[in-house]
Amino acid sequence: MKNKKIVIIGGVAGGATAAARLRRLDEFAQITVLEKGEYVSFANCGLPYYIGGEIKRKSSLTLQTPESFRARFNVDVRVFNEVTAINRERKTVTVSDLIKETTYEESYDKLIISTGASPALPAVEGIDDERIFTLRNIPDTYKIKEFTEQAKPRTALVVGGGFIGMEMTENLVKAGVEVTVATRSDRVMSHMDYDASCFIHNELRANGVKLLFNNVPEKIIKKKDYLEVILSSGKSVLSDMIILALGVVPDSKIAVDAGLEVNEKGAIKTDKNMRTSDPDIFAVGDAVESYDFITSSPSHVPLAGPANKQGRIAADNIAGIPSEYKGTQGSAIVKIFGLTAAYTGLSENQAKRRGLNYGVSHTFSPSHATYYPNPEYMSVKTVFDKSDGKILGVQIVGGEGVDKRCDVMATAIRAGMTAYDLTNLELCYAPPYGSAKDPVNMVGYTIENLLTGKIKNFYCDDIDSLLDRKDVTLLDTRTKYEYDRGHIRGFVNIPVDELRANLNLLDKSKPVYLTCHVGQRGYVAARILAQYGYDVYNLSGGYNLYATIMTSKYPEQV
């Protein structure tokens, strides 16, 4: 029987994973990886940290070389070999050897496309300057590192507020560069909701980063010693270097030219087996249209985790093992100076756009028992289905412990768990690591109280409409000391511990909208008032969330 011949276009996450999995499943298959660049497998998520000096050695970025891949997996890896065309009728690919400057054809029985994505570039004048960089691969990394070490730039403009933008911002600041970030939206990390991003805005500013929202470059003027960037607001920014971090677009030209089906953004369409519109061609990774695990709607989420899973699934199906991709949640995490920001599943904005019957809770919890030294707090925003309490998404921003809570919530979403299930999770507890009521349990308790009518919430977006109303009571239940240090205009102060003794001050005919610092004392106060017959609402996230949003919106007033 003839041994199967599999050609893989591109390495890194999806392609390299597929090649390794194929070999483990079939010792006798002929496997060839054609990679147009110098590196077949590298840690692209670690690139910003090499620039900033956290990762010291260049070799740490290279996970496999052609030689090591061949030695372990007996895979023919050819770097500097760019596939320029797919000939579906002949079942061959046209390859340009960039070193020998020759062209040849390679046949296949099955083909895997793992071409990834390319940095999105703005169509503006002056973008071709050598002081303007993107970061997608190891050569990009070396260029930026060399420039920062030799030219010693004092200022940098980072265009884009996503993962690469945030990681490059932190690492440039650590290298002694003054950084301005310009984003096309009203926030950084635009996959998160605005209220969650506000924590990040305040952390960036605390580390000297300037933020320019709703701004994109319209023109770049080259000067001898600097670059002048004209933004869409009319503002001019002078900078020694520019990092373009506007996201990525699928690198799918060869698929389009071959007549494979793609979506409107150019991402290659596949079925759940990662098979394209051609039954002998599979596609994986950042070039591929995926689908949302929660809503089953099409999506394009260029992340390493999905790419690795898709590579494995394509290999399984080629080897005759039925295997399906189950959808992408979009679980992601980023370090931004002293903060960690993580999310999984749907944001509130996404749930709203899809017309879902959703609810939102905000909780604020310590990373470990508060009596153990140095707990770090995390803000947890959870989106849930109001009909059954199923968890739809979560966004967590804080210090220590954010990663493991987001991972638990990602697992809960994948398992179809509800808020009621979260209350029953038995998670590891010891004072240095957590609390007897873990932040995940607290999310469950909070949503359970909402679903069972024990509490009614209102939100920071509702405050402006309440401030001048005469038919409501606005109540702050924090201590007088906390209230005097800062409070929401119009809210009167009765500490929760003095509430029962001052019920005569509250008009029972008026709804009571109350707040505390993070929502916990507000919940206690709301339960007291509800049982005395008051119609009462608690501010989700409390004064802490409100103050964070106001500080982000109006930093000049802080």
Side-chain angles (χ1 to χ4, degrees), residues 250-253 255-256 262-269 287:
D251 197 350
S252 58
K253 184 178 185 301
V256 173
V262 298
N263 68 10
E264 66 279 0
K265 294 183 178 179
I268 304 167
K269 289 193 171 188

Side-chain angles (χ1 to χ4, degrees), residues 444-510:
Y445 295 139
T446 301
I447 297 173
E448 179 188 51
N449 286 334
L450 287 167
L451 293 171
T452 56
K454 294 181 180 67
I455 189 73
K456 293 186 289 187
N457 277 352
F458 72 108
Y459 299 89
C460 290
D461 286 346
D462 300 321
I463 290 175
D464 285 346
S465 66
L466 295 170
L467 291 180
D468 297 317
R469 284 176 57 180
K470 305 300 183 185
D471 59 340
V472 299
T473 298
L474 305 179
L475 181 63
D476 189 320
T477 62
R478 295 175 298 155
T479 64
K480 184 177 185 303
Y481 172 75
E482 291 173 288
Y483 179 84
D484 288 343
R485 291 184 67 191
H487 59 268
I488 306 171
R489 177 176 66 87
F491 280 67
V492 297
N493 181 221
I494 303 178
V496 62
D497 295 340
E498 302 172 19
L499 188 57
R500 291 182 182 88
N502 288 283
L503 290 177
N504 61 303
L505 300 178
L506 302 177
D507 185 344
K508 195 173 286 188
S509 68
K510 295 181 179 181

Side-chain angles (χ1 to χ4, degrees), residues 88 133 156 158 181 214 236 239 248 343 356 376 402 425 428 435 482-483 549:
R88 292 167 56 190
F133 305 90
V158 174
V181 175
N214 302 306
S236 175
S239 184
V248 296
Y343 59 83
L356 302 182
E376 297 185 23
V402 166
L425 285 182
C428 293
S435 302
E482 291 173 288
Y483 179 84
I549 295 170

Side-chain angles (χ1 to χ4, degrees), residues 365-384:
S365 300
S367 56
H368 59 244
T370 54
Y371 59 82
Y372 188 85
N374 304 317
E376 297 185 23
Y377 283 79
M378 63 189 79
S379 170
V380 184
K381 178 176 183 176
T382 308
V383 183
F384 60 93

Side-chain angles (χ1 to χ4, degrees), residues 73-128:
F73 298 109
N74 190 26
V75 170
D76 180 12
V77 177
R78 306 176 197 170
V79 295
F80 294 120
N81 275 244
E82 181 179 7
V83 175
T84 57
I86 299 169
N87 312 301
R88 292 167 56 190
E89 295 77 14
R90 298 197 304 272
K91 295 187 75 170
T92 66
V93 293
T94 303
V95 188
S96 175
D97 187 320
L98 303 178
I99 298 297
K100 296 178 181 178
E101 298 183 345
T102 59
T103 299
Y104 64 96
E105 286 203 346
E106 190 74 32
S107 64
Y108 65 84
D109 295 316
K110 300 292 181 182
L111 181 68
I112 300 176
I113 301 173
S114 178
T115 45
S118 302
L121 299 176
V124 298
E125 179 186 338
I127 202 171
D128 56 344

Side-chain angles (χ1 to χ4, degrees), residues 341-362:
Y343 59 83
T344 185
L346 298 181
S347 67
E348 181 182 3
N349 284 335
Q350 290 169 326
K352 186 182 296 183
R353 286 200 303 269
R354 287 165 170 78
L356 302 182
N357 180 30
Y358 74 91
V360 169
S361 83
H362 295 90

Side-chain angles (χ1 to χ4, degrees), residues 274-287:
M274 307 314 302
R275 189 179 280 106
T276 69
S277 51
D278 184 317
D280 292 319
I281 302 177
F282 295 74
V284 302
D286 293 356

